[in-house]
Amino acid sequence: MTGPVRRRLFHLIFSLALLAGMAACGTGAGNTATTTLSFWGWAPGYEEAVARFNATHHGVRVTFEKIAPGSQGGYDRILSAAKAGTAPCLAQIGYESVASFTVDDVLRPIGRDVLGLGVYYSDAAWQQATVGGEIYGIPVDVAPMALFYRTDVYARYGLSPQATWDDFARDAASIQRTAPGVRLTAFTPDDPWWFTGLAAQAGGSWFDVKAQSWRINMAEPGTATVTQYWENLIAMGQAKMDPGFSDEFFQDLQNGTVAAIPEPAWFASILEQKAPGAAGKWAVAPLPRWKAGGGSASFVGGSATSVTKNCRTPDQAIEFAHWLSSDHDSLEILVAKAGLVPAAVTADSLPSLRRPSPYFGNQVIADVFRTQSMPTNWIWGPVMNETSKALSSEFPKALTEHSPLQSALKRVEDQTAAAMRAKGLDSTHG
């Protein structure tokens, strides 16, 4: 065990022991007062983790309410409650929406209250909970991307998991020539988060904020590389176009007419549910890199536990949020129920991350996800709800009209800037 890792582990153990002691002490001997924290979220396993916290802690009790996933109505409910002054003390917030909630003045900045806690979490996750240098939540998980591929199709055509995107393009052309009914991969134009993951891997960064002014640039080099790459595959007929998470998409994955797809860790459980007939035929490999031997994978998803400004007991809220993201029992529950990859740097020791998956040919797929070096320069914008809707609309339109994806991104940038102006935010382009 290296020195830095040993120090991190020591500090984590010390911190958890301190928090456990605080909780056990409650409000003092002879005082049975209990602080109750309300918590809204949607991920599987959260309710069970909360129950575990309540069973092992005294003086603080958490009541969990399951809401719809953020983009499916959960965020609207949190915003409405915040405006009415009835928001929960704690809320599950996807990294892509942390900046948006800070702009809407819903979240409490907690940087001064969590000094030193950053060492317990991956740098990439900590960065995702940060806006303008301030912390707005305790990271729960990361969602590293990898290449999901059909071992039977790859074996049939003499392929191996591709190390670079150039290798991937060559194999896409090869499969098209030798197996007309099969495509190496698919492009899902209506899935905005999938595309942001690919852009981030190429070094892209669409947003920056300095001195309360936002800068937008969707024409930056990394994104241009990605759009040109996929446009070429599509133009040559070497990538199938499927609506994201559609029946057609999963049928292609189940019957092997699409042999590989870059997706995040949480996609594994969805693939297993939606393509059960392909059990034992899928495997996971690191995402192809833009340069041979190059670093950086990417991510799609992940969330933090944030404290809202309605919370009157932020210290206890932060205590619980840190416990949820770092306690061994809590993480075992969340990994088993939600299939997430924890943000905690000590999570490698969890037995649940070492279990072989029968669906993936008994591969320990967590070994792939946990070793990915994710980009840390990607920053989410302050109106991602509007940005994602624009992406979901403009990309399919561009491909239908055979117009450049970069032109579609320019329209998305314009719509994003308009949404920012509507919220009174200063912004610049390019």
Side-chain angles (χ1 to χ4, degrees), residues 175-253:
I175 276 193
Q176 183 194 34
R177 289 192 302 269
T178 57
V182 177
R183 292 295 177 269
L184 179 62
T185 192
F187 185 82
T188 54
D190 60 337
D191 186 349
W193 309 124
W194 183 80
F195 183 80
T196 60
L198 297 176
Q201 192 215 9
S205 184
W206 295 349
F207 300 95
D208 194 12
V209 58
K210 292 181 180 178
Q212 306 303 312
S213 179
W214 286 86
R215 180 173 176 266
I216 319 169
N217 182 14
M218 295 185 181
E220 54 80 37
T223 304
T225 297
V226 173
T227 55
Q228 183 178 8
Y229 180 89
W230 285 93
E231 279 178 335
N232 289 340
L233 290 185
I234 293 167
M236 298 296 290
Q238 295 164 0
K240 196 172 186 297
M241 281 197 295
D242 281 341
F245 296 91
S246 63
D247 289 342
E248 181 183 6
F249 175 67
F250 285 109
Q251 285 170 7
D252 282 332
L253 299 181

Side-chain angles (χ1 to χ4, degrees), residues 126-316:
W126 198 252
Q127 177 65 34
Q128 290 300 300
T130 302
V131 179
E134 179 58 86
I135 308 298
Y136 287 95
I138 300 295
V140 176
D141 64 311
V142 291
M145 294 183 78
L147 184 68
F148 290 73
Y149 70 99
R150 286 281 297 248
T151 56
D152 57 336
V153 178
Y154 269 50
R156 187 182 311 145
Y157 298 107
L159 306 181
S160 299
Q162 295 81 8
T164 69
W165 286 113
D166 284 342
D167 297 336
F168 195 78
R170 283 193 294 271
D171 286 346
S174 175
I175 276 193
Q176 183 194 34
R177 289 192 302 269
T178 57
V182 177
R183 292 295 177 269
L184 179 62
T185 192
F187 185 82
T188 54
D190 60 337
D191 186 349
W193 309 124
W194 183 80
F195 183 80
T196 60
L198 297 176
Q201 192 215 9
S205 184
W206 295 349
F207 300 95
D208 194 12
V209 58
K210 292 181 180 178
Q212 306 303 312
S213 179
W214 286 86
R215 180 173 176 266
I216 319 169
N217 182 14
M218 295 185 181
E220 54 80 37
T223 304
T225 297
V226 173
T227 55
Q228 183 178 8
Y229 180 89
W230 285 93
E231 279 178 335
N232 289 340
L233 290 185
I234 293 167
M236 298 296 290
Q238 295 164 0
K240 196 172 186 297
M241 281 197 295
D242 281 341
F245 296 91
S246 63
D247 289 342
E248 181 183 6
F249 175 67
F250 285 109
Q251 285 170 7
D252 282 332
L253 299 181
Q254 172 150 293
N255 61 29
T257 50
V258 169
I261 189 77
E263 291 286 357
W266 48 263
F267 183 76
S269 60
I270 298 177
L271 180 61
E272 186 170 350
Q273 295 168 16
K274 296 291 188 177
K281 298 177 180 179
W282 283 94
V284 179
L287 205 62
R289 303 309 204 242
W290 286 103
K291 293 181 180 179
S296 184
S298 196
F299 58 91
V300 178
S303 64
T305 307
S306 296
V307 182
T308 73
K309 287 193 172 181
N310 285 153
C311 187
R312 297 183 179 181
T313 53
D315 290 344
Q316 290 89 340

Side-chain angles (χ1 to χ4, degrees), residues 366-428:
D367 287 347
V368 177
F369 293 114
R370 288 292 295 173
T371 57
Q372 300 306 293
S373 175
M374 294 190 296
T376 58
N377 64 323
W378 182 268
I379 296 175
W380 294 106
V383 290
M384 286 309 300
N385 188 43
E386 291 83 353
T387 302
S388 63
K389 287 180 180 178
L391 280 167
S392 298
S393 172
E394 295 296 342
F395 267 18
K397 184 189 304 182
L399 292 172
T400 299
E401 297 173 352
H402 303 286
S403 61
L405 291 178
Q406 203 64 40
S407 297
L409 281 171
K410 178 62 171 64
R411 294 192 294 272
V412 173
E413 184 174 310
D414 291 341
Q415 292 172 47
T416 298
M420 291 169 66
R421 287 194 298 271
K423 289 182 178 290
L425 299 174
D426 293 330
S427 65
T428 58

Side-chain angles (χ1 to χ4, degrees), residues 14-99:
F14 176 79
S15 175
L16 293 177
L18 178 61
L19 290 175
M22 290 168 59
C25 291
T27 55
N31 190 337
T32 59
T34 298
T35 298
T36 299
L37 308 171
S38 56
F39 179 25
W40 291 1
W42 61 85
Y46 274 44
E47 188 171 3
E48 292 88 341
V50 166
R52 177 64 179 170
F53 178 87
N54 290 335
T56 56
H57 290 71
H58 305 285
V60 178
R61 180 173 181 79
V62 180
T63 59
F64 179 74
E65 184 171 345
K66 191 166 187 175
I67 60 175
S71 60
Q72 299 177 26
Y75 290 156
D76 289 339
R77 185 177 174 191
I78 294 171
L79 285 169
S80 296
K83 290 177 182 177
T86 59
C89 196
L90 294 150
Q92 179 185 358
I93 305 293
Y95 296 136
E96 81 288 341
S97 297
V98 172

